[in-house]
Amino acid sequence: MSVELLAPLDLAFWHLESADHPMHLGALARFDPGPADPDGVRELLERRAAAIPRLRTRVRDVLLPVGGAAWSVAEDFDVRRHVHHVRLGGGDFTTRAAQLAGVLMERPLERGLPPWEMYLLSGGEPGGPFAVLVKLHHALADGMRAVAIGAGIFDEIAGGGAAARGGPASGPPRSRPSGGGPAAGTARGRIEELGRALGVGASVVRASRLDPRGTPALTASSSGTRRLATAELDLEEVRRVRRERGGTANDVLLAVVAGALRHWMVERGDPLPAADPRALVPVSRRRPGAPPRSGNTFSAYLLDLPVGDPDPLRRLGAVRRGMDRNKAAGPGRGAGALAVLADQLPPLAHRFGAPLAGSAARLLFDVLVTNVPLPRSALSLGGCPLRALYPMAPLARGQALAVAMTPYGCRVHFGLVADGRAVPDLDRLADALHAELAELVKRTEARAAGTG
């Protein structure tokens, strides 16, 4: 019987979890118009989720390697324990769905079951909008893999795409060696692995901050509560700024996040930090055409978000230069390479070292900002078109905010996840994203016209 060991980084996420810091990713997908009978959508979700082999597996401990764990098929798997239907009351549907999603994201997944859940959120009117909240443990997938797994519920994928054919999105567990390839069993291979780990570890230490206080507005003791706010930006406006100012669309979005944080801090009366807050910006290490890996495969860049600069164009320039330096150095340098280091450590180190690593997050960064791409084609569920998808990232211990965004259609959808007690005004930060992009577009157009 084949056994698929958890990859080192997956194991790290499995052991990082605590009651106040669940380590699951999330996405809130909104569909409009909806069907006359939402129960039919729930049954469709159950059928499609049950058809994805990865969602039938759970984590179990193994004797070897010491401290390791493996994926195994849950023989008593019942999809009805994972797919739930919640009917919302009156009021604005998107607002109510986001409020409930924040509450549901607080709850850790049951560790004895396959680590995922889906919630169908429906309104009171037949044919009205509905939403699906998906929760996947970070040990199960990184952002790219989560998209591949979650895509299996959509009509276009389940109807004959890669997931339906048993491709990378839904392939069954495969035997996976615990080492790093043919050379891992040799002395030379072990020395090379140790050298890589030491090199990455040294870069992490060099990039870590001695002052653990971080940015006060983004620092919080754990309350265990979660709040979700959403925002949608015009993707064409983002591209317009990129065409005029250069760089990438992601550079523009990171600059928008920096400016929104500045607006938000000023409006709340918080002093601007003496040092710009650090963002951890995940970057995939999956290579096009390479054999698919089921586990987490990413590193991250560190970026100082220039909230201290009042000029939006200068903020964009600073972000561009910072990201250019990151790309030139590569994803194996800086504190953001902690994920690469985790991939080099033995299972026992993750079992005992994960709590210490989680507590050290504020030494490395202040806020997570991640961009998760979706398929470019229009998506639907049961014939109902997808109108928006708001991704959600887990909160690191001691931090108050995580920002996730994804382009879909002609919009960029933001999911802001915050500690509910530390950031009760999260909606104001979501509003600030709109204000910052509008100001950036205005200044860009003025500069292009020679008037700014």
Side-chain angles (χ1 to χ4, degrees):
M1 182 176 183
S2 64
V3 173
E4 183 187 4
L5 296 176
L6 266 70
L9 191 50
D10 302 347
L11 195 62
F13 283 123
W14 189 247
H15 292 306
L16 270 171
E17 185 166 69
S18 67
D20 286 346
H21 284 87
M23 293 304 298
H24 48 254
L25 309 170
L28 181 65
R30 180 171 60 82
F31 302 84
D32 189 15
D37 179 18
D39 286 331
V41 177
R42 188 200 72 240
E43 294 170 0
L44 181 63
L45 285 172
E46 290 176 349
R47 289 198 304 272
R48 290 183 176 172
I52 301 174
R54 171 57 71 189
L55 297 185
R56 302 174 68 92
T57 60
R58 65 179 182 87
V59 176
R60 64 175 178 84
D61 291 335
V62 294
L63 293 176
L64 293 174
V66 177
W71 294 105
S72 66
V73 175
E75 300 297 338
D76 60 348
F77 175 76
D78 183 351
V79 72
R80 293 172 297 180
R81 300 178 69 177
H82 299 265
V83 179
H84 314 279
H85 184 189
V86 180
R87 298 181 187 272
L88 302 179
D92 179 74
F93 177 80
T94 300
T95 300
R96 293 295 305 277
Q99 290 172 343
L100 180 58
V103 173
L104 294 173
M105 288 295 287
E106 295 176 3
R107 305 175 185 174
L109 295 161
E110 189 172 337
R111 292 174 77 85
L113 299 175
W116 66 275
E117 289 177 341
M118 292 184 190
Y119 290 85
L120 169 64
L121 311 179
S122 63
E125 298 181 3
F130 70 95
V132 176
L133 172 66
V134 180
K135 293 168 57 177
L136 295 172
H137 199 285
H138 216 329
L140 190 68
D142 55 19
M144 294 291 289
R145 182 74 179 177
V147 169
I149 293 175
I153 72 171
F154 291 113
D155 298 337
E156 294 73 16
I157 312 299
R165 295 193 302 270
S170 60
R174 299 183 305 278
S175 176
R176 179 191 175 107
S178 59
T186 68
R188 178 181 177 184
R190 293 192 180 108
I191 291 172
E192 289 175 349
E193 287 185 348
L194 178 60
R196 286 194 296 270
L198 290 174
V200 174
S203 70
V204 170
V205 171
R206 284 195 300 270
S208 300
R209 298 174 299 190
L210 297 178
D211 184 354
R213 290 173 296 179
T215 301
L218 301 176
T219 303
S221 57
S222 302
S223 72
T225 61
R226 294 294 180 269
R227 186 180 296 270
L228 170 67
T230 63
E232 296 181 25
L233 302 185
D234 188 325
L235 183 55
E236 181 52 37
E237 290 187 343
V238 173
R239 290 169 174 163
R240 191 184 317 162
V241 174
R242 178 193 60 79
R243 286 193 295 266
E244 291 291 336
R245 307 300 302 175
T248 67
N250 197 51
D251 293 343
V252 177
L253 291 169
L254 289 168
V256 167
V257 171
L261 288 172
R262 177 186 171 86
H263 285 300
W264 175 63
M265 292 177 189
V266 170
E267 286 180 1
R268 333 167 86 203
D270 292 338
L272 293 175
D276 287 330
R278 262 188 184 177
L280 187 75
V281 184
V283 54
S284 176
R285 291 193 291 133
R286 298 183 188 273
R287 296 182 179 275
R293 288 180 57 182
S294 60
N296 285 273
T297 308
F298 73 92
S299 182
Y301 294 139
L302 286 176
L303 177 70
D304 290 335
L305 297 175
V307 301
D309 195 320
D311 186 278
L313 294 182
R314 288 203 301 265
R315 287 196 293 267
L316 175 56
V319 165
R320 280 190 57 195
R321 291 189 296 274
M323 289 301 288
D324 287 346
R325 285 193 298 269
N326 280 327
K327 293 169 186 175
R333 293 291 181 265
L338 188 63
V340 180
L341 176 62
D343 224 14
Q344 307 288 332
L345 298 178
L348 200 60
H350 291 300
R351 185 174 291 270
F352 293 105
L356 294 175
S359 299
R362 68 174 61 181
L363 293 174
L364 306 178
F365 63 98
D366 299 292
V367 59
L368 173 73
V369 184
T370 182
N371 190 331
V372 183
L374 279 182
R376 293 186 178 182
S377 59
L379 300 173
S380 62
L381 176 62
C384 304
L386 175 68
R387 300 300 187 191
L389 189 141
Y390 308 105
M392 289 171 274
L395 280 184
R397 189 171 291 123
Q399 295 177 347
L401 175 69
V403 179
M405 51 193 170
T406 188
Y408 176 71
C410 59
R411 313 287 285 174
V412 182
H413 303 89
F414 280 78
L416 310 178
V417 175
D419 183 284
R421 188 172 300 167
V423 190
D425 58 342
L426 189 60
D427 289 337
R428 293 171 65 182
L429 178 56
D431 292 339
L433 290 168
H434 294 277
E436 175 61 17
L437 179 58
E439 180 64 19
L440 189 53
V441 170
K442 179 181 176 182
R443 290 293 307 277
T444 298
E445 292 176 342
R447 181 66 62 87
T451 59

